[in-house]
Amino acid sequence: MKHHQTRILITGGAGFLGSHLCDRLVREGHEVLCLDNFFTGTKNNIRHLMKAPNFELIRHDLAHPAFLEVDEIYNLACPASPIHYQYNPVKTIKTNVMGAIHMLGLAKRVQAKILQASTSEIYGNPTLHPQPEAYWGNVNTIGIRSCYDEGKRCAETLFFDYHRQNRVNIRVIRIFNTYGPRMHPNDGRVVSNFIVQALADQDITVYGDGSQTRSFCYVDDMIDGMVRMMNGPDTFVGPVNLGNPGEFTILELAQMIIRLTKSNSRIKFEPLPQDDPLQRRPDISLAREKLAWEPMVELEQGLKQTIQYFRGLQDP
Ligand code: NAD
Ligand code: UDP
């Protein structure tokens, strides 16, 4: 009889992070099931995997149940950029909450291990800096970002309730801003926006005065942290922050991207969107201690890789 391969379901597998995770797990020889409704993900992100015998694509919307036989689930399905998650906010909540219930129900039935891609957004506009996992956050329940923030918070609650009530084997990671090749060029996130604008010599749109901060993690580092968490001991369920602790103002990011692309773009200041957090930086002591993980890729190095990808999209 053939040795049993680990069968791994990745929801949102055709998206930015999901497709890199598919790459990694297919390369390691696991049987990978990629589930996606292609709301923000595309077949282009995974086209190169379609011929792999250990890769399978399922078109499905996670607002509805899915019945599959799997050993592990990475639950990533959810639009991640403000433009996309605000496009249909009710759907965003359904994807987060119903999606979590459906995947946790599946994990319970087939006794799969399940990892939730949570987010730094659960900290809201933080009053504590940097943010450790023990911080409960400062989130507006009724603002334009709430569909995402509260959807993700409720998903975390569901994970811990299924864990306590049904002994489901869970992992929860809180992902901080991550960037890299295969980001959607029009998803409005700051790194993709600035690179696309810089390459076209268009104005760089800095919202507010650009003094708000973010910490940017390169995708390869993030995927490594994710897989370490999934494969770590069952006693460490998280939540654990994953992100790069290097902190930059949005204005510094704009200037760095102009320099790296040798662009003639100029900086244009636009209004700051509602509820835009003023500062964000992960405290990653827990990930360092429990997963022996920390990011390796410097912002400048990661941006160069990302710029190269976006140049390729311009002239294929
Ligand atoms: P993405 O938008 O590229 O990927 C999300 C994927 O989920 C897409 O392929 C999309 O089509 C799919 N999807 C959306 N709704 C679905 C539904 N109802 N049914 C099935 N599939 C659905 O975003 P990403 O950056 O790759 O984010 C992946 C996960 O990581 C998300 O859960 C996001 O909240 C989380 N996250 C990402 C970041 C980041 O900086 N990239 C930060 C924090 C958290
Ligand atoms: N931002 C900006 N110009 C843009 C896009 C974003 O100044 O064209 C700012 C945005 O206001 C926020 C930061 O960059 O302060 C990060 O935005 P993003 O949407 O990438 O992610 P967030 O961390 O806010 O979810």
Side-chain angles (χ1 to χ4, degrees), residues 125-313:
N125 191 2
T127 52
L128 189 63
H129 195 70
Q131 293 81 54
E133 291 82 354
Y135 178 54
W136 289 355
N138 176 34
V139 179
N140 180 1
T141 55
I142 57 171
I144 56 173
R145 295 176 85 106
S146 309
C147 60
Y148 183 75
D149 300 10
E150 297 290 12
K152 288 284 188 183
R153 287 174 69 98
C154 184
E156 284 200 10
T157 308
L158 284 162
F159 267 70
F160 277 81
D161 280 333
Y162 270 82
H163 178 60
R164 282 185 290 254
Q165 193 177 332
N166 303 111
R167 304 193 175 282
V168 172
N169 190 358
I170 62 160
R171 305 283 191 276
V172 176
I173 59 170
R174 291 182 179 155
I175 301 174
F176 284 64
N177 297 59
T178 303
Y179 69 98
R182 300 193 200 138
M183 287 185 94
H184 199 296
N186 309 320
D187 76 359
R189 278 189 267 194
V190 69
V191 172
S192 45
N193 261 14
F194 285 4
I195 293 178
V196 169
Q197 290 163 344
L199 290 177
D201 284 331
Q202 290 165 351
D203 288 345
I204 306 271
T205 53
V206 169
Y207 302 158
D209 61 5
S211 64
Q212 72 272 38
T213 68
R214 292 292 186 276
S215 304
F216 300 100
C217 184
Y218 189 62
V219 59
D220 292 356
D221 283 331
M222 182 56 60
I223 300 301
D224 190 52
M226 246 186 226
V227 172
R228 272 177 200 243
M229 184 59 181
M230 180 64 110
N231 295 338
D234 290 347
T235 47
F236 181 56
V237 299
V240 63
N241 288 339
L242 295 181
N244 191 319
E247 184 179 2
F248 296 83
T249 68
I250 294 305
L251 199 55
E252 284 170 336
L253 178 74
Q255 285 156 349
M256 192 182 286
I257 288 176
I258 290 176
R259 175 166 57 79
L260 294 176
T261 52
K262 301 189 175 66
S263 172
N264 296 315
S265 292
R266 288 190 307 196
I267 288 171
K268 180 170 165 233
F269 293 94
E270 292 191 355
L272 192 67
Q274 189 199 325
D275 290 344
D276 200 287
L278 292 177
Q279 51 182 7
R280 186 183 289 151
R281 171 156 64 99
D283 178 333
I284 60 164
S285 328
L286 191 64
R288 280 200 178 101
E289 181 198 323
K290 299 280 188 184
L291 307 174
W293 175 87
E294 66 182 342
M296 310 297 284
V297 182
E298 298 289 342
L299 181 59
E300 189 161 323
Q301 194 188 340
L303 284 177
K304 283 182 185 162
Q305 299 286 326
T306 313
I307 289 165
Q308 202 178 2
Y309 168 78
F310 279 104
R311 274 194 209 282
L313 288 186

Side-chain angles (χ1 to χ4, degrees), residues 10-195:
I10 303 174
T11 76
F16 161 51
L17 294 180
S19 64
H20 285 277
L21 184 60
C22 285
D23 282 347
R24 159 89 181 247
L25 298 176
V26 166
R27 199 166 58 232
E28 287 180 357
H30 306 291
E31 205 179 316
V32 174
L33 276 65
C34 166
L35 179 153
D36 209 292
N37 69 347
F38 301 118
F39 175 52
T40 52
T42 82
K43 277 192 195 162
N44 283 336
N45 287 342
I46 45 157
R47 199 175 296 286
H48 57 285
L49 293 173
M50 299 297 275
K51 284 201 183 105
N54 55 337
F55 180 79
E56 204 172 321
L57 179 62
I58 304 162
R59 182 192 283 260
H60 181 77
D61 189 320
L62 215 59
H64 306 284
F67 299 95
L68 298 158
E69 294 285 332
V70 294
D71 306 302
E72 290 178 5
I73 305 169
Y74 287 86
N75 190 35
L76 272 60
C78 175
S81 82
I83 291 184
H84 286 145
Y85 70 66
Q86 286 165 20
Y87 171 77
N88 184 344
V90 173
K91 182 64 194 262
T92 300
I93 297 183
K94 280 189 188 166
T95 298
N96 274 309
V97 177
M98 300 311 295
I101 290 174
H102 294 142
M103 287 303 100
L104 285 161
L106 175 66
K108 178 184 160 189
R109 278 194 303 278
V110 302
Q111 297 190 344
K113 182 159 58 162
I114 179 167
L115 177 144
Q116 168 68 357
S118 190
T119 168
S120 54
E121 283 288 313
I122 65 106
Y123 299 122
N125 191 2
T127 52
L128 189 63
H129 195 70
Q131 293 81 54
E133 291 82 354
Y135 178 54
W136 289 355
N138 176 34
V139 179
N140 180 1
T141 55
I142 57 171
I144 56 173
R145 295 176 85 106
S146 309
C147 60
Y148 183 75
D149 300 10
E150 297 290 12
K152 288 284 188 183
R153 287 174 69 98
C154 184
E156 284 200 10
T157 308
L158 284 162
F159 267 70
F160 277 81
D161 280 333
Y162 270 82
H163 178 60
R164 282 185 290 254
Q165 193 177 332
N166 303 111
R167 304 193 175 282
V168 172
N169 190 358
I170 62 160
R171 305 283 191 276
V172 176
I173 59 170
R174 291 182 179 155
I175 301 174
F176 284 64
N177 297 59
T178 303
Y179 69 98
R182 300 193 200 138
M183 287 185 94
H184 199 296
N186 309 320
D187 76 359
R189 278 189 267 194
V190 69
V191 172
S192 45
N193 261 14
F194 285 4
I195 293 178

